[in-house]
């Protein structure tokens, strides 16, 4: 990663994010569901454009 400030931000966020996800499985599963739905929509859109 070229941007050192951006890398620092994500490293700081990871210190907070990881313990939060481990402590609350219901919350973690909800976030995964949102991400999964988002990726499905965008991957379908992308595949339609490439065909």
């Amino acid at each position: 990663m070229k941007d050192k400030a951006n890398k620092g931000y994500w490293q700081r966020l990871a210190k907070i994010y990881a313990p939060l996800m481990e402590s609350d499985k219901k919350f973690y599963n909800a976030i995964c569901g949102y991400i999964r739905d988002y990726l499905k929509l965008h991957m379908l859109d992308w595949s339609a454009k490439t065909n």
Side-chain angles (χ1 to χ4, degrees):
M1 187 178 293
K2 293 180 182 180
D3 184 0
K4 300 290 184 191
N6 195 24
K7 183 178 180 180
Y9 167 79
W10 288 111
Q11 287 176 336
R12 288 190 307 276
L13 184 62
K15 290 178 184 177
I16 299 166
Y17 181 82
L20 177 63
M21 294 299 111
E22 290 174 2
S23 67
D24 192 345
K25 295 294 182 186
K26 186 176 179 180
F27 181 63
Y28 176 77
N29 289 333
I31 289 176
C32 288
Y34 290 127
I35 293 169
R36 190 177 306 110
D37 293 342
Y38 176 81
L39 289 176
K40 283 180 187 177
L41 288 173
H42 288 283
M43 292 178 91
L44 288 172
D45 184 46
W46 176 80
S47 66
K49 290 178 183 177
T50 59
N51 288 333

